[in-house]
mmCIF file of all heavy atoms in Angstrom:
data_model
loop_
_atom_site.group_PDB
_atom_site.id
_atom_site.type_symbol
_atom_site.label_atom_id
_atom_site.label_comp_id
_atom_site.label_asym_id
_atom_site.label_seq_id
_atom_site.Cartn_x
_atom_site.Cartn_y
_atom_site.Cartn_z
ATOM 1 N N VAL A 66 17.035 -9.489 -5.503
ATOM 2 C CA VAL A 66 18.229 -9.173 -4.706
ATOM 3 C C VAL A 66 17.830 -9.282 -3.243
ATOM 4 O O VAL A 66 16.699 -8.955 -2.869
ATOM 5 C CB VAL A 66 18.750 -7.750 -5.013
ATOM 6 C CG1 VAL A 66 19.965 -7.414 -4.145
ATOM 7 C CG2 VAL A 66 19.123 -7.617 -6.490
ATOM 8 N N ASP A 67 18.759 -9.740 -2.424
ATOM 9 C CA ASP A 67 18.493 -9.903 -0.994
ATOM 10 C C ASP A 67 17.981 -8.598 -0.387
ATOM 11 O O ASP A 67 18.539 -7.520 -0.647
ATOM 12 C CB ASP A 67 19.785 -10.334 -0.286
ATOM 13 C CG ASP A 67 19.582 -10.499 1.211
ATOM 14 O OD1 ASP A 67 18.890 -11.440 1.621
ATOM 15 O OD2 ASP A 67 20.129 -9.660 1.963
ATOM 16 N N LEU A 68 16.925 -8.690 0.430
ATOM 17 C CA LEU A 68 16.286 -7.504 1.011
ATOM 18 C C LEU A 68 17.253 -6.709 1.880
ATOM 19 O O LEU A 68 17.246 -5.475 1.862
ATOM 20 C CB LEU A 68 15.059 -7.921 1.831
ATOM 21 C CG LEU A 68 14.265 -6.793 2.503
ATOM 22 C CD1 LEU A 68 13.771 -5.794 1.471
ATOM 23 C CD2 LEU A 68 13.093 -7.356 3.302
ATOM 24 N N TRP A 69 18.083 -7.406 2.656
ATOM 25 C CA TRP A 69 19.036 -6.704 3.506
ATOM 26 C C TRP A 69 20.041 -5.919 2.665
ATOM 27 O O TRP A 69 20.395 -4.778 2.992
ATOM 28 C CB TRP A 69 19.755 -7.704 4.405
ATOM 29 C CG TRP A 69 20.837 -7.100 5.242
ATOM 30 C CD1 TRP A 69 22.174 -7.324 5.146
ATOM 31 C CD2 TRP A 69 20.682 -6.140 6.304
ATOM 32 N NE1 TRP A 69 22.880 -6.576 6.077
ATOM 33 C CE2 TRP A 69 21.984 -5.847 6.806
ATOM 34 C CE3 TRP A 69 19.578 -5.504 6.877
ATOM 35 C CZ2 TRP A 69 22.188 -4.940 7.844
ATOM 36 C CZ3 TRP A 69 19.793 -4.607 7.924
ATOM 37 C CH2 TRP A 69 21.077 -4.340 8.385
ATOM 38 N N PHE A 70 20.480 -6.513 1.546
ATOM 39 C CA PHE A 70 21.421 -5.828 0.649
ATOM 40 C C PHE A 70 20.762 -4.582 0.051
ATOM 41 O O PHE A 70 21.386 -3.523 -0.043
ATOM 42 C CB PHE A 70 21.862 -6.777 -0.469
ATOM 43 C CG PHE A 70 22.937 -6.213 -1.354
ATOM 44 C CD1 PHE A 70 24.276 -6.375 -1.029
ATOM 45 C CD2 PHE A 70 22.610 -5.520 -2.509
ATOM 46 C CE1 PHE A 70 25.268 -5.859 -1.846
ATOM 47 C CE2 PHE A 70 23.589 -5.003 -3.335
ATOM 48 C CZ PHE A 70 24.936 -5.162 -3.004
ATOM 49 N N ILE A 71 19.492 -4.704 -0.341
ATOM 50 C CA ILE A 71 18.752 -3.564 -0.889
ATOM 51 C C ILE A 71 18.658 -2.450 0.144
ATOM 52 O O ILE A 71 18.870 -1.267 -0.166
ATOM 53 C CB ILE A 71 17.327 -3.987 -1.321
ATOM 54 C CG1 ILE A 71 17.391 -4.976 -2.479
ATOM 55 C CG2 ILE A 71 16.494 -2.770 -1.710
ATOM 56 C CD1 ILE A 71 16.031 -5.569 -2.847
ATOM 57 N N THR A 72 18.337 -2.818 1.377
ATOM 58 C CA THR A 72 18.161 -1.834 2.440
ATOM 59 C C THR A 72 19.446 -1.060 2.698
ATOM 60 O O THR A 72 19.441 0.175 2.796
ATOM 61 C CB THR A 72 17.694 -2.525 3.740
ATOM 62 O OG1 THR A 72 16.477 -3.229 3.493
ATOM 63 C CG2 THR A 72 17.480 -1.508 4.856
ATOM 64 N N VAL A 73 20.556 -1.785 2.807
ATOM 65 C CA VAL A 73 21.846 -1.142 3.074
ATOM 66 C C VAL A 73 22.269 -0.265 1.891
ATOM 67 O O VAL A 73 22.752 0.864 2.080
ATOM 68 C CB VAL A 73 22.935 -2.199 3.374
ATOM 69 C CG1 VAL A 73 24.305 -1.538 3.505
ATOM 70 C CG2 VAL A 73 22.594 -2.954 4.652
ATOM 71 N N THR A 74 22.069 -0.765 0.675
ATOM 72 C CA THR A 74 22.440 0.001 -0.520
ATOM 73 C C THR A 74 21.623 1.274 -0.623
ATOM 74 O O THR A 74 22.164 2.360 -0.882
ATOM 75 C CB THR A 74 22.234 -0.842 -1.790
ATOM 76 O OG1 THR A 74 23.052 -2.006 -1.728
ATOM 77 C CG2 THR A 74 22.587 -0.034 -3.032
ATOM 78 N N SER A 75 20.308 1.152 -0.425
ATOM 79 C CA SER A 75 19.432 2.315 -0.500
ATOM 80 C C SER A 75 19.783 3.339 0.566
ATOM 81 O O SER A 75 19.882 4.543 0.290
ATOM 82 C CB SER A 75 17.966 1.883 -0.343
ATOM 83 O OG SER A 75 17.120 3.005 -0.280
ATOM 84 N N PHE A 76 19.973 2.863 1.795
ATOM 85 C CA PHE A 76 20.326 3.769 2.894
ATOM 86 C C PHE A 76 21.610 4.528 2.570
ATOM 87 O O PHE A 76 21.684 5.757 2.716
ATOM 88 C CB PHE A 76 20.504 2.973 4.184
ATOM 89 C CG PHE A 76 21.062 3.784 5.321
ATOM 90 C CD1 PHE A 76 20.230 4.566 6.103
ATOM 91 C CD2 PHE A 76 22.426 3.782 5.599
ATOM 92 C CE1 PHE A 76 20.742 5.332 7.135
ATOM 93 C CE2 PHE A 76 22.947 4.542 6.626
ATOM 94 C CZ PHE A 76 22.104 5.324 7.409
ATOM 95 N N THR A 77 22.620 3.809 2.120
ATOM 96 C CA THR A 77 23.905 4.434 1.814
ATOM 97 C C THR A 77 23.777 5.432 0.666
ATOM 98 O O THR A 77 24.337 6.530 0.706
ATOM 99 C CB THR A 77 24.942 3.356 1.444
ATOM 100 O OG1 THR A 77 24.997 2.378 2.488
ATOM 101 C CG2 THR A 77 26.317 3.968 1.253
ATOM 102 N N THR A 78 23.020 5.038 -0.347
ATOM 103 C CA THR A 78 22.824 5.908 -1.515
ATOM 104 C C THR A 78 22.212 7.235 -1.129
ATOM 105 O O THR A 78 22.724 8.304 -1.477
ATOM 106 C CB THR A 78 21.914 5.211 -2.549
ATOM 107 O OG1 THR A 78 22.558 4.030 -3.026
ATOM 108 C CG2 THR A 78 21.617 6.133 -3.715
ATOM 109 N N TYR A 79 21.098 7.186 -0.411
ATOM 110 C CA TYR A 79 20.384 8.423 -0.084
ATOM 111 C C TYR A 79 21.083 9.226 1.005
ATOM 112 O O TYR A 79 21.055 10.464 0.974
ATOM 113 C CB TYR A 79 18.940 8.103 0.309
ATOM 114 C CG TYR A 79 18.110 7.695 -0.878
ATOM 115 C CD1 TYR A 79 17.714 6.374 -1.070
ATOM 116 C CD2 TYR A 79 17.746 8.623 -1.844
ATOM 117 C CE1 TYR A 79 16.973 5.996 -2.177
ATOM 118 C CE2 TYR A 79 17.005 8.262 -2.954
ATOM 119 C CZ TYR A 79 16.618 6.940 -3.114
ATOM 120 O OH TYR A 79 15.891 6.568 -4.216
ATOM 121 N N ALA A 80 21.701 8.540 1.967
ATOM 122 C CA ALA A 80 22.441 9.260 3.001
ATOM 123 C C ALA A 80 23.585 10.058 2.378
ATOM 124 O O ALA A 80 23.892 11.176 2.813
ATOM 125 C CB ALA A 80 22.977 8.286 4.041
ATOM 126 N N LEU A 81 24.200 9.498 1.348
ATOM 127 C CA LEU A 81 25.299 10.185 0.662
ATOM 128 C C LEU A 81 24.783 11.297 -0.239
ATOM 129 O O LEU A 81 25.236 12.436 -0.165
ATOM 130 C CB LEU A 81 26.108 9.173 -0.161
ATOM 131 C CG LEU A 81 27.337 9.717 -0.885
ATOM 132 C CD1 LEU A 81 28.390 10.175 0.126
ATOM 133 C CD2 LEU A 81 27.927 8.658 -1.815
ATOM 134 N N SER A 82 23.792 10.983 -1.087
ATOM 135 C CA SER A 82 23.311 11.960 -2.067
ATOM 136 C C SER A 82 22.604 13.146 -1.413
ATOM 137 O O SER A 82 22.711 14.280 -1.899
ATOM 138 C CB SER A 82 22.373 11.285 -3.068
ATOM 139 O OG SER A 82 21.234 10.753 -2.423
ATOM 140 N N HIS A 83 21.903 12.911 -0.305
ATOM 141 C CA HIS A 83 21.229 14.020 0.385
ATOM 142 C C HIS A 83 22.221 15.033 0.933
ATOM 143 O O HIS A 83 21.918 16.232 1.018
ATOM 144 C CB HIS A 83 20.379 13.480 1.540
ATOM 145 C CG HIS A 83 19.128 12.798 1.092
ATOM 146 N ND1 HIS A 83 18.430 11.924 1.895
ATOM 147 C CD2 HIS A 83 18.440 12.853 -0.076
ATOM 148 C CE1 HIS A 83 17.368 11.473 1.240
ATOM 149 N NE2 HIS A 83 17.372 12.019 0.043
ATOM 150 N N ASN A 84 23.406 14.575 1.296
ATOM 151 C CA ASN A 84 24.409 15.471 1.865
ATOM 152 C C ASN A 84 25.328 16.074 0.813
ATOM 153 O O ASN A 84 25.692 17.244 0.899
ATOM 154 C CB ASN A 84 25.264 14.716 2.895
ATOM 155 C CG ASN A 84 24.552 14.501 4.208
ATOM 156 O OD1 ASN A 84 24.540 15.366 5.080
ATOM 157 N ND2 ASN A 84 23.914 13.348 4.366
ATOM 158 N N VAL A 85 25.708 15.274 -0.168
ATOM 159 C CA VAL A 85 26.671 15.723 -1.171
ATOM 160 C C VAL A 85 26.013 16.569 -2.248
ATOM 161 O O VAL A 85 26.599 17.507 -2.781
ATOM 162 C CB VAL A 85 27.382 14.507 -1.814
ATOM 163 C CG1 VAL A 85 28.304 14.951 -2.942
ATOM 164 C CG2 VAL A 85 28.161 13.741 -0.756
ATOM 165 N N GLY A 86 24.737 16.266 -2.577
ATOM 166 C CA GLY A 86 24.070 16.934 -3.680
ATOM 167 C C GLY A 86 24.286 16.161 -4.966
ATOM 168 O O GLY A 86 24.975 15.135 -4.983
ATOM 169 N N ALA A 87 23.733 16.674 -6.081
ATOM 170 C CA ALA A 87 23.847 15.985 -7.371
ATOM 171 C C ALA A 87 23.496 14.518 -7.187
ATOM 172 O O ALA A 87 24.285 13.618 -7.489
ATOM 173 C CB ALA A 87 25.237 16.143 -7.954
ATOM 174 N N SER A 88 22.275 14.262 -6.689
ATOM 175 C CA SER A 88 21.879 12.922 -6.254
ATOM 176 C C SER A 88 21.983 11.861 -7.347
ATOM 177 O O SER A 88 22.328 10.712 -7.064
ATOM 178 C CB SER A 88 20.451 12.959 -5.706
ATOM 179 O OG SER A 88 19.556 13.439 -6.681
ATOM 180 N N VAL A 89 21.692 12.229 -8.595
ATOM 181 C CA VAL A 89 21.746 11.241 -9.675
ATOM 182 C C VAL A 89 23.171 10.719 -9.850
ATOM 183 O O VAL A 89 23.398 9.525 -10.062
ATOM 184 C CB VAL A 89 21.233 11.855 -11.004
ATOM 185 C CG1 VAL A 89 21.443 10.883 -12.140
ATOM 186 C CG2 VAL A 89 19.755 12.212 -10.882
ATOM 187 N N ILE A 90 24.166 11.630 -9.723
ATOM 188 C CA ILE A 90 25.562 11.235 -9.923
ATOM 189 C C ILE A 90 26.105 10.509 -8.694
ATOM 190 O O ILE A 90 26.595 9.382 -8.778
ATOM 191 C CB ILE A 90 26.435 12.468 -10.236
ATOM 192 C CG1 ILE A 90 25.956 13.129 -11.547
ATOM 193 C CG2 ILE A 90 27.902 12.077 -10.344
ATOM 194 C CD1 ILE A 90 26.650 14.425 -11.869
ATOM 195 N N SER A 91 25.998 11.165 -7.522
ATOM 196 C CA SER A 91 26.554 10.572 -6.304
ATOM 197 C C SER A 91 25.844 9.280 -5.941
ATOM 198 O O SER A 91 26.474 8.284 -5.582
ATOM 199 C CB SER A 91 26.477 11.568 -5.146
ATOM 200 O OG SER A 91 25.132 11.986 -4.931
ATOM 201 N N GLY A 92 24.514 9.279 -6.039
ATOM 202 C CA GLY A 92 23.763 8.066 -5.752
ATOM 203 C C GLY A 92 23.977 7.001 -6.805
ATOM 204 O O GLY A 92 23.982 5.804 -6.500
ATOM 205 N N GLY A 93 24.173 7.432 -8.055
ATOM 206 C CA GLY A 93 24.392 6.480 -9.139
ATOM 207 C C GLY A 93 25.680 5.700 -8.971
ATOM 208 O O GLY A 93 25.733 4.499 -9.279
ATOM 209 N N VAL A 94 26.718 6.356 -8.470
ATOM 210 C CA VAL A 94 27.999 5.679 -8.262
ATOM 211 C C VAL A 94 27.852 4.570 -7.229
ATOM 212 O O VAL A 94 28.329 3.445 -7.419
ATOM 213 C CB VAL A 94 29.078 6.689 -7.813
ATOM 214 C CG1 VAL A 94 30.348 5.962 -7.393
ATOM 215 C CG2 VAL A 94 29.378 7.681 -8.923
ATOM 216 N N VAL A 95 27.163 4.880 -6.122
ATOM 217 C CA VAL A 95 26.974 3.885 -5.066
ATOM 218 C C VAL A 95 26.147 2.712 -5.580
ATOM 219 O O VAL A 95 26.496 1.544 -5.354
ATOM 220 C CB VAL A 95 26.282 4.517 -3.841
ATOM 221 C CG1 VAL A 95 25.968 3.456 -2.786
ATOM 222 C CG2 VAL A 95 27.154 5.602 -3.243
ATOM 223 N N ARG A 96 25.058 3.022 -6.256
ATOM 224 C CA ARG A 96 24.199 1.941 -6.773
ATOM 225 C C ARG A 96 24.938 1.094 -7.802
ATOM 226 O O ARG A 96 24.776 -0.131 -7.832
ATOM 227 C CB ARG A 96 22.927 2.543 -7.388
ATOM 228 C CG ARG A 96 21.877 2.952 -6.366
ATOM 229 C CD ARG A 96 20.543 3.150 -7.043
ATOM 230 N NE ARG A 96 19.474 3.395 -6.094
ATOM 231 C CZ ARG A 96 18.917 4.583 -5.876
ATOM 232 N NH1 ARG A 96 19.370 5.639 -6.534
ATOM 233 N NH2 ARG A 96 17.935 4.720 -5.004
ATOM 234 N N TYR A 97 25.729 1.720 -8.655
ATOM 235 C CA TYR A 97 26.459 0.942 -9.671
ATOM 236 C C TYR A 97 27.444 -0.011 -9.008
ATOM 237 O O TYR A 97 27.516 -1.189 -9.372
ATOM 238 C CB TYR A 97 27.195 1.876 -10.631
ATOM 239 C CG TYR A 97 27.936 1.107 -11.714
ATOM 240 C CD1 TYR A 97 27.245 0.634 -12.832
ATOM 241 C CD2 TYR A 97 29.297 0.819 -11.591
ATOM 242 C CE1 TYR A 97 27.905 -0.100 -13.812
ATOM 243 C CE2 TYR A 97 29.952 0.092 -12.559
ATOM 244 C CZ TYR A 97 29.260 -0.366 -13.671
ATOM 245 O OH TYR A 97 29.909 -1.097 -14.628
ATOM 246 N N ARG A 98 28.194 0.487 -8.034
ATOM 247 C CA ARG A 98 29.167 -0.362 -7.336
ATOM 248 C C ARG A 98 28.470 -1.521 -6.630
ATOM 249 O O ARG A 98 28.962 -2.644 -6.622
ATOM 250 C CB ARG A 98 29.956 0.472 -6.317
ATOM 251 C CG ARG A 98 30.916 1.459 -6.928
ATOM 252 C CD ARG A 98 32.126 0.775 -7.500
ATOM 253 N NE ARG A 98 32.918 0.120 -6.457
ATOM 254 C CZ ARG A 98 33.655 -0.953 -6.655
ATOM 255 N NH1 ARG A 98 33.681 -1.528 -7.838
ATOM 256 N NH2 ARG A 98 34.352 -1.486 -5.661
ATOM 257 N N ALA A 99 27.307 -1.230 -6.037
ATOM 258 C CA ALA A 99 26.609 -2.256 -5.258
ATOM 259 C C ALA A 99 25.902 -3.268 -6.156
ATOM 260 O O ALA A 99 26.131 -4.480 -6.045
ATOM 261 C CB ALA A 99 25.603 -1.591 -4.321
ATOM 262 N N TYR A 100 25.054 -2.785 -7.056
ATOM 263 C CA TYR A 100 24.215 -3.698 -7.833
ATOM 264 C C TYR A 100 24.972 -4.413 -8.944
ATOM 265 O O TYR A 100 24.561 -5.494 -9.385
ATOM 266 C CB TYR A 100 23.003 -2.957 -8.392
ATOM 267 C CG TYR A 100 21.990 -2.615 -7.333
ATOM 268 C CD1 TYR A 100 21.628 -1.289 -7.079
ATOM 269 C CD2 TYR A 100 21.393 -3.611 -6.560
ATOM 270 C CE1 TYR A 100 20.693 -0.978 -6.094
ATOM 271 C CE2 TYR A 100 20.464 -3.311 -5.579
ATOM 272 C CZ TYR A 100 20.130 -1.989 -5.346
ATOM 273 O OH TYR A 100 19.225 -1.690 -4.367
ATOM 274 N N SER A 101 26.076 -3.833 -9.413
ATOM 275 C CA SER A 101 26.881 -4.552 -10.406
ATOM 276 C C SER A 101 27.504 -5.793 -9.774
ATOM 277 O O SER A 101 27.748 -6.791 -10.460
ATOM 278 C CB SER A 101 27.971 -3.637 -10.976
ATOM 279 O OG SER A 101 28.844 -3.191 -9.953
ATOM 280 N N SER A 102 27.737 -5.737 -8.453
ATOM 281 C CA SER A 102 28.270 -6.915 -7.770
ATOM 282 C C SER A 102 27.218 -8.019 -7.657
ATOM 283 O O SER A 102 27.550 -9.166 -7.361
ATOM 284 C CB SER A 102 28.760 -6.539 -6.364
ATOM 285 O OG SER A 102 27.677 -6.231 -5.500
ATOM 286 N N LYS A 103 25.956 -7.682 -7.921
ATOM 287 C CA LYS A 103 24.865 -8.663 -7.893
ATOM 288 C C LYS A 103 24.445 -9.090 -9.297
ATOM 289 O O LYS A 103 23.414 -9.752 -9.477
ATOM 290 C CB LYS A 103 23.655 -8.088 -7.159
ATOM 291 C CG LYS A 103 23.900 -7.840 -5.676
ATOM 292 C CD LYS A 103 24.192 -9.134 -4.930
ATOM 293 C CE LYS A 103 24.390 -8.909 -3.451
ATOM 294 N NZ LYS A 103 24.678 -10.168 -2.715
ATOM 295 N N GLY A 104 25.222 -8.664 -10.288
ATOM 296 C CA GLY A 104 24.966 -9.119 -11.656
ATOM 297 C C GLY A 104 24.104 -8.221 -12.510
ATOM 298 O O GLY A 104 23.793 -8.574 -13.654
ATOM 299 N N LEU A 105 23.698 -7.047 -12.006
ATOM 300 C CA LEU A 105 22.892 -6.144 -12.821
ATOM 301 C C LEU A 105 23.775 -5.423 -13.831
ATOM 302 O O LEU A 105 24.908 -5.031 -13.512
ATOM 303 C CB LEU A 105 22.159 -5.119 -11.951
ATOM 304 C CG LEU A 105 20.766 -5.524 -11.436
ATOM 305 C CD1 LEU A 105 20.891 -6.609 -10.365
ATOM 306 C CD2 LEU A 105 20.015 -4.324 -10.886
#
Side-chain angles (χ1 to χ4, degrees):
V66 178
D67 179 70
L68 180 58
W69 175 247
F70 186 88
I71 295 173
T72 302
V73 174
T74 300
S75 174
F76 172 83
T77 306
T78 297
Y79 288 107
L81 183 66
S82 62
H83 286 161
N84 284 276
V85 175
S88 58
V89 173
I90 298 174
S91 57
V94 171
V95 175
R96 281 196 174 105
Y97 181 81
R98 290 286 296 151
Y100 288 120
S101 61
S102 70
K103 294 297 182 180
L105 271 71

